[in-house]
Amino acid sequence: MRRYAGLTGVWLTFWVTVSCTTAMALFGYDQGVFGGVIITQDFLDTLKLNNNTNLVGTVTSLYDVGCFFGAISGFTLGERLGRKRAILLGTIVMMIGGIIQTAAFSVAQMIVGRLVTGLGNGLNTASAPVWQSETSKPSWRGKLVVLEMILNIAGFSLANWMTYGFSFTNGSVAWRFPIAFQLVFGFILLATVPWLPESPRWLIAHGQEEKAVNILAALEGNGATIHSPTVVTEYKEIAYAVKVERESGVGWGDLLRGKSGSHGTGTIRRLILGAGTQAMQQLSGINVTSYYLPTVLTDSVGLPSKLARLLAACNSVSYLLFSFIAIPNVERWGRRRLMIFGAAGQSFCYLVITVLLKFSEDNSGKRKHDLASASVAFFFLYYVFFGIGWQGVPWLYPTEINSLHMRTKGAALGTASNWAFNYMVVQVTPIGIKTLSWRFYIIWIVFNAAFVPIVYLFYPETAGRRLEDIDKLYRENHSVWIFKDKDAIAPKRPLKYIENDEREIRRASVASGVAYEKGSSDEEPNNAGVEKARV
């Protein structure tokens, strides 16, 4: 029986991407569907939630609490089970939660369903980007993880349109069917993930070298074997990184006591940088509008309810289309430039929104309506900047910046920080809109403006680099002020890494023997990757 249905190279990567994007589309759908459900009259009647805004908010936000603890579970489960089994477990848990929600006839049952669904989604969102990153070639890694997040938007958009369409039906089908539809994504994952390859980096870290090197050859494609120079070189790169990490790796207890190992690999700093991108994504104000755009348009702008819902659904399509701009540019411009560009644009949009709403409040009649309506264009434009700069990169960056030993922990910590700040924003937004009015949006002007110097000063570029290149950077550069290192912030892979690659490939071409035998990677290779062959 042929492995992976006989697929290798690009096609094998394609099917890994199908699975990862389905996991993230499920995330987007599940995040978006409940916003339409909670304003469905039959739902409010069945669960006796009429005129109980606080309880509705609690039922909604407890999903984020479940996601937070699901992501935290990725600290241990993700590393113990592997990338594939963690996603399968998360999917099964999400499907159980979806069934509980679909069959709910009480608030207690719905709360349990929301929490269970969140637990599974938190584990999935901490695992899928890592699996994608560790099975992708450097030239495609950024594009594919960004594509995952674009499919997340597609799921979110589908949920908006589905709940809008079903709002014209009567009875419980108006909300039970949209909730149940998430099971379709689960069945796709259960049908694809089991037969696809595990991360070779995870396998090497867990002593399964033979299986790992066969997967590296399969992912390389073009007839590559376990003895091909590019495969041998890549194996030695990963094995050496694993060896260094085992010698310098530290546990959570040591990290909390401020110990980060003896080899200067920047463990704590890399964890903070990765989690920081996720925190900044939420503090950019995206879920002020993602969760509450109809509320914002009715309460802040003064639009009718039906028009506000339709505009929210249309905005999700605009958001989706403009997010495709990030796919070619995440490698061309690099992660740093995209984040800086997005943050600057987002700050500008919130500045204009604040000014328009302020003057709208100071006027009356047609002028008041015109000023408030003009702000709608800048809510739409905000999503354009966010889709290009901040939708995908914060999910990609923690999987790249952290070392192999800390990659699962780093991705889980980043995802957990995302959900923690997500919950905070979701909780304060209704209160902020009601009590502060236009002043509420000043908060997001300041946050987005602050992200520009933060990214410029502290964040190294990861575009085009092999994951082992980042390890090498932190072994050689211990300065916090990363902007001073021109190689560290270059949007393209530094020439010194490419030249070392060529030397190592020539060495591997001359050498004979099996590269993955124990003891073959005790010395550091002369390269930091195999960019020329892998690209």
Side-chain angles (χ1 to χ4, degrees):
M1 181 178 178
R2 296 186 300 172
R3 291 178 178 175
Y4 319 126
L7 300 174
T8 62
V10 173
W11 280 108
L12 187 56
T13 302
F14 169 81
W15 279 102
V16 172
T17 303
V18 167
S19 294
C20 291
T21 52
T22 301
M24 301 310 281
L26 172 56
F27 160 34
Y29 183 87
D30 204 63
Q31 190 175 30
V33 72
F34 214 66
V37 166
I38 59 176
I39 57 175
T40 303
Q41 192 58 49
D42 186 82
F43 171 83
L44 298 173
D45 293 340
T46 301
L47 273 63
K48 298 178 175 58
L49 289 171
N50 285 295
N51 302 317
N52 198 339
T53 305
N54 289 337
L55 186 55
V56 170
T58 299
V59 173
T60 303
S61 60
L62 282 174
Y63 169 75
D64 294 331
V65 175
C67 288
F68 173 79
F69 286 105
I72 291 292
S73 72
F75 289 166
T76 55
L77 287 178
E79 193 60 36
R80 187 180 305 162
L81 297 176
R83 317 315 187 209
K84 284 175 50 179
R85 285 183 289 181
I87 293 172
L88 288 171
L89 176 60
T91 300
I92 293 169
V93 171
M94 281 195 79
M95 292 177 75
I96 293 171
I99 292 170
I100 295 172
Q101 290 183 77
T102 303
F105 281 93
S106 68
V107 170
Q109 189 177 354
M110 183 58 71
I111 286 175
V112 171
R114 295 287 288 168
L115 284 170
V116 171
T117 303
L119 285 170
N121 185 55
L123 182 57
N124 270 7
T125 53
S127 304
V130 177
W131 188 33
Q132 182 77 78
S133 293
E134 293 185 340
T135 55
S136 303
K137 296 182 179 183
S139 58
W140 280 95
R141 186 177 63 242
K143 297 182 181 73
L144 295 178
V145 175
V146 168
L147 181 63
E148 285 183 29
M149 298 316 300
I150 290 175
L151 266 291
N152 168 265
I153 303 170
F156 176 79
S157 180
L158 175 62
N160 274 272
W161 285 106
M162 183 165 290
T163 53
Y164 179 71
F166 272 85
S167 69
F168 295 98
T169 64
N170 297 317
S172 64
V173 69
W175 60 275
R176 294 191 191 276
F177 184 88
I179 290 177
F181 188 79
Q182 65 187 282
L183 299 177
V184 173
F185 297 96
F187 287 125
I188 294 173
L189 286 167
L190 295 179
T192 55
V193 174
W195 60 270
L196 290 168
E198 179 56 89
S199 161
R201 288 169 170 84
W202 182 85
L203 290 170
I204 292 172
H206 289 78
Q208 301 181 51
E209 288 90 351
E210 184 173 354
K211 185 182 292 186
V213 80
N214 276 286
I215 290 174
L216 287 173
L219 291 170
E220 182 66 37
N222 298 319
T225 70
I226 61 174
H227 302 293
S228 298
T230 53
V231 175
V232 170
T233 303
E234 184 169 9
Y235 166 76
K236 292 173 70 176
E237 284 280 327
I238 299 170
Y240 179 76
V242 169
K243 175 177 176 290
V244 171
E245 282 301 320
R246 282 175 178 164
E247 294 172 353
S248 61
V250 291
W252 286 110
D254 290 331
L255 285 173
L256 293 174
R257 290 192 297 270
K259 299 178 181 179
S260 58
S262 58
H263 283 68
T265 55
T267 301
I268 294 178
R269 182 151 55 105
R270 295 162 78 175
L271 282 171
I272 292 172
L273 290 173
T277 59
Q278 293 276 29
M280 287 189 288
Q281 185 193 59
Q282 291 304 313
L283 293 175
S284 70
I286 181 59
N287 278 320
V288 171
T289 51
S290 288
Y291 277 80
Y292 295 110
L293 186 55
T295 302
V296 169
L297 295 178
T298 54
D299 292 0
S300 292
V301 180
L303 297 180
S305 177
K306 285 188 177 180
L307 178 58
R309 290 185 62 172
L310 180 59
L311 283 174
C314 291
N315 177 66
S316 68
V317 176
S318 170
Y319 181 22
L320 172 64
L321 294 177
F322 278 101
S323 294
F324 280 96
I325 295 175
I327 292 181
N329 292 316
V330 70
E331 300 296 346
R332 185 181 305 158
W333 294 353
R335 303 357 171 196
R336 284 166 47 89
R337 289 181 180 177
L338 279 183
M339 288 193 287
I340 291 171
F341 168 78
Q346 290 158 197
S347 183
F348 169 75
C349 289
Y350 268 123
L351 174 62
V352 177
I353 288 168
T354 302
V355 171
L356 289 172
L357 293 180
K358 197 272 181 190
F359 281 103
S360 172
E361 189 175 289
D362 293 342
N363 286 272
S364 60
K366 186 176 184 300
R367 181 168 176 79
K368 175 183 179 70
H369 177 268
D370 290 345
L371 286 168
S373 298
S375 69
V376 174
F378 289 91
F379 280 112
F380 273 60
L381 184 60
Y382 169 86
Y383 273 92
V384 172
F385 283 110
F386 183 86
I388 294 172
W390 282 90
Q391 172 62 17
V393 174
W395 293 92
L396 168 64
Y397 203 84
T399 69
E400 296 181 316
I401 194 65
N402 287 294
S403 62
L404 177 60
H405 174 72
M406 298 301 294
R407 193 164 295 140
T408 302
K409 295 183 179 72
L413 182 62
T415 305
S417 70
N418 184 290
W419 288 114
F421 283 99
N422 186 326
Y423 178 77
M424 181 194 74
V425 172
V426 170
Q427 286 293 98
V428 303
T429 294
I431 301 170
I433 292 173
K434 184 176 180 179
T435 59
L436 297 176
S437 185
W438 59 268
R439 298 171 187 84
F440 178 65
Y441 302 103
I442 296 175
I443 298 169
W444 317 111
I445 297 173
V446 174
F447 273 132
N448 281 291
F451 298 156
V452 174
I454 289 172
V455 172
Y456 178 78
L457 294 173
F458 304 116
Y459 278 78
E461 184 57 69
T462 57
R465 276 74 164 173
R466 292 202 44 206
L467 298 177
E468 289 69 38
D469 291 351
I470 311 302
D471 293 332
K472 189 175 182 64
L473 167 66
Y474 278 94
R475 289 197 298 268
E476 296 175 347
N477 186 336
H478 302 293
S479 174
V480 173
W481 304 99
I482 206 70
F483 76 99
K484 296 180 179 179
D485 186 336
K486 299 305 180 185
D487 282 341
I489 64 173
K492 300 297 182 183
R493 192 169 186 239
L495 182 62
K496 64 180 181 180
Y497 292 153
I498 298 174
E499 292 174 343
N500 283 336
D501 287 350
E502 294 171 348
R503 287 195 294 271
E504 186 65 21
I505 290 173
R506 285 195 293 270
R507 289 176 57 192
S509 299
V510 174
S512 59
V514 181
Y516 57 85
E517 290 178 352
K518 292 183 179 179
S520 63
S521 300
D522 289 339
E523 296 182 1
E524 179 178 7
N526 288 339
N527 66 307
V530 195
E531 181 71 5
K532 191 172 184 179
R534 296 290 281 164
V535 176

PDB file of all heavy atoms in Angstrom, residues 12-23:
ATOM      1  N   LEU A  12       1.189  16.600  -1.822  1.00  0.00           N
ATOM      2  CA  LEU A  12       1.112  16.189  -0.418  1.00  0.00           C
ATOM      3  C   LEU A  12       0.950  17.427   0.477  1.00  0.00           C
ATOM      4  O   LEU A  12       0.133  17.424   1.410  1.00  0.00           O
ATOM      5  CB  LEU A  12       2.360  15.405  -0.021  1.00  0.00           C
ATOM      6  CG  LEU A  12       2.350  14.768   1.371  1.00  0.00           C
ATOM      7  CD1 LEU A  12       1.148  13.856   1.555  1.00  0.00           C
ATOM      8  CD2 LEU A  12       3.647  13.983   1.590  1.00  0.00           C
ATOM      9  N   THR A  13       1.706  18.466   0.182  1.00  0.00           N
ATOM     10  CA  THR A  13       1.557  19.721   0.918  1.00  0.00           C
ATOM     11  C   THR A  13       0.161  20.296   0.720  1.00  0.00           C
ATOM     12  O   THR A  13      -0.437  20.856   1.657  1.00  0.00           O
ATOM     13  CB  THR A  13       2.609  20.746   0.453  1.00  0.00           C
ATOM     14  OG1 THR A  13       3.914  20.200   0.650  1.00  0.00           O
ATOM     15  CG2 THR A  13       2.485  22.049   1.224  1.00  0.00           C
ATOM     16  N   PHE A  14      -0.378  20.153  -0.486  1.00  0.00           N
ATOM     17  CA  PHE A  14      -1.729  20.634  -0.767  1.00  0.00           C
ATOM     18  C   PHE A  14      -2.760  20.009   0.170  1.00  0.00           C
ATOM     19  O   PHE A  14      -3.618  20.707   0.733  1.00  0.00           O
ATOM     20  CB  PHE A  14      -2.098  20.330  -2.223  1.00  0.00           C
ATOM     21  CG  PHE A  14      -3.551  20.541  -2.556  1.00  0.00           C
ATOM     22  CD1 PHE A  14      -4.037  21.812  -2.821  1.00  0.00           C
ATOM     23  CD2 PHE A  14      -4.438  19.466  -2.586  1.00  0.00           C
ATOM     24  CE1 PHE A  14      -5.385  22.009  -3.121  1.00  0.00           C
ATOM     25  CE2 PHE A  14      -5.781  19.654  -2.891  1.00  0.00           C
ATOM     26  CZ  PHE A  14      -6.261  20.933  -3.157  1.00  0.00           C
ATOM     27  N   TRP A  15      -2.668  18.696   0.383  1.00  0.00           N
ATOM     28  CA  TRP A  15      -3.664  18.032   1.216  1.00  0.00           C
ATOM     29  C   TRP A  15      -3.470  18.329   2.697  1.00  0.00           C
ATOM     30  O   TRP A  15      -4.438  18.375   3.464  1.00  0.00           O
ATOM     31  CB  TRP A  15      -3.675  16.526   0.943  1.00  0.00           C
ATOM     32  CG  TRP A  15      -4.468  16.227  -0.294  1.00  0.00           C
ATOM     33  CD1 TRP A  15      -3.990  15.939  -1.532  1.00  0.00           C
ATOM     34  CD2 TRP A  15      -5.895  16.254  -0.403  1.00  0.00           C
ATOM     35  NE1 TRP A  15      -5.026  15.772  -2.427  1.00  0.00           N
ATOM     36  CE2 TRP A  15      -6.207  15.948  -1.757  1.00  0.00           C
ATOM     37  CE3 TRP A  15      -6.938  16.492   0.486  1.00  0.00           C
ATOM     38  CZ2 TRP A  15      -7.525  15.892  -2.211  1.00  0.00           C
ATOM     39  CZ3 TRP A  15      -8.249  16.434   0.034  1.00  0.00           C
ATOM     40  CH2 TRP A  15      -8.535  16.132  -1.295  1.00  0.00           C
ATOM     41  N   VAL A  16      -2.233  18.542   3.116  1.00  0.00           N
ATOM     42  CA  VAL A  16      -2.020  19.028   4.490  1.00  0.00           C
ATOM     43  C   VAL A  16      -2.682  20.396   4.641  1.00  0.00           C
ATOM     44  O   VAL A  16      -3.341  20.685   5.659  1.00  0.00           O
ATOM     45  CB  VAL A  16      -0.518  19.119   4.818  1.00  0.00           C
ATOM     46  CG1 VAL A  16      -0.298  19.813   6.168  1.00  0.00           C
ATOM     47  CG2 VAL A  16       0.115  17.738   4.840  1.00  0.00           C
ATOM     48  N   THR A  17      -2.540  21.229   3.608  1.00  0.00           N
ATOM     49  CA  THR A  17      -3.139  22.562   3.632  1.00  0.00           C
ATOM     50  C   THR A  17      -4.657  22.480   3.662  1.00  0.00           C
ATOM     51  O   THR A  17      -5.315  23.269   4.354  1.00  0.00           O
ATOM     52  CB  THR A  17      -2.676  23.374   2.409  1.00  0.00           C
ATOM     53  OG1 THR A  17      -1.245  23.426   2.396  1.00  0.00           O
ATOM     54  CG2 THR A  17      -3.228  24.789   2.443  1.00  0.00           C
ATOM     55  N   VAL A  18      -5.237  21.538   2.907  1.00  0.00           N
ATOM     56  CA  VAL A  18      -6.697  21.354   2.930  1.00  0.00           C
ATOM     57  C   VAL A  18      -7.168  21.088   4.358  1.00  0.00           C
ATOM     58  O   VAL A  18      -8.155  21.671   4.832  1.00  0.00           O
ATOM     59  CB  VAL A  18      -7.126  20.202   1.995  1.00  0.00           C
ATOM     60  CG1 VAL A  18      -8.582  19.800   2.254  1.00  0.00           C
ATOM     61  CG2 VAL A  18      -6.947  20.609   0.542  1.00  0.00           C
ATOM     62  N   SER A  19      -6.456  20.214   5.050  1.00  0.00           N
ATOM     63  CA  SER A  19      -6.841  19.890   6.425  1.00  0.00           C
ATOM     64  C   SER A  19      -6.691  21.097   7.342  1.00  0.00           C
ATOM     65  O   SER A  19      -7.591  21.399   8.150  1.00  0.00           O
ATOM     66  CB  SER A  19      -5.994  18.735   6.950  1.00  0.00           C
ATOM     67  OG  SER A  19      -6.266  17.548   6.241  1.00  0.00           O
ATOM     68  N   CYS A  20      -5.560  21.790   7.244  1.00  0.00           N
ATOM     69  CA  CYS A  20      -5.319  22.937   8.135  1.00  0.00           C
ATOM     70  C   CYS A  20      -6.294  24.075   7.855  1.00  0.00           C
ATOM     71  O   CYS A  20      -6.801  24.718   8.799  1.00  0.00           O
ATOM     72  CB  CYS A  20      -3.880  23.419   7.980  1.00  0.00           C
ATOM     73  SG  CYS A  20      -2.651  22.270   8.622  1.00  0.00           S
ATOM     74  N   THR A  21      -6.561  24.349   6.573  1.00  0.00           N
ATOM     75  CA  THR A  21      -7.501  25.425   6.251  1.00  0.00           C
ATOM     76  C   THR A  21      -8.922  25.054   6.668  1.00  0.00           C
ATOM     77  O   THR A  21      -9.701  25.938   7.067  1.00  0.00           O
ATOM     78  CB  THR A  21      -7.481  25.759   4.746  1.00  0.00           C
ATOM     79  OG1 THR A  21      -7.673  24.559   3.982  1.00  0.00           O
ATOM     80  CG2 THR A  21      -6.161  26.396   4.350  1.00  0.00           C
ATOM     81  N   THR A  22      -9.274  23.773   6.601  1.00  0.00           N
ATOM     82  CA  THR A  22     -10.597  23.353   7.069  1.00  0.00           C
ATOM     83  C   THR A  22     -10.730  23.575   8.567  1.00  0.00           C
ATOM     84  O   THR A  22     -11.779  24.029   9.055  1.00  0.00           O
ATOM     85  CB  THR A  22     -10.846  21.867   6.740  1.00  0.00           C
ATOM     86  OG1 THR A  22     -10.754  21.666   5.328  1.00  0.00           O
ATOM     87  CG2 THR A  22     -12.221  21.415   7.221  1.00  0.00           C
ATOM     88  N   ALA A  23      -9.660  23.273   9.316  1.00  0.00           N
ATOM     89  CA  ALA A  23      -9.676  23.506  10.769  1.00  0.00           C
ATOM     90  C   ALA A  23      -9.880  24.984  11.078  1.00  0.00           C
ATOM     91  O   ALA A  23     -10.638  25.349  11.988  1.00  0.00           O
ATOM     92  CB  ALA A  23      -8.384  23.004  11.401  1.00  0.00           C
TER      93      ALA A  23
END
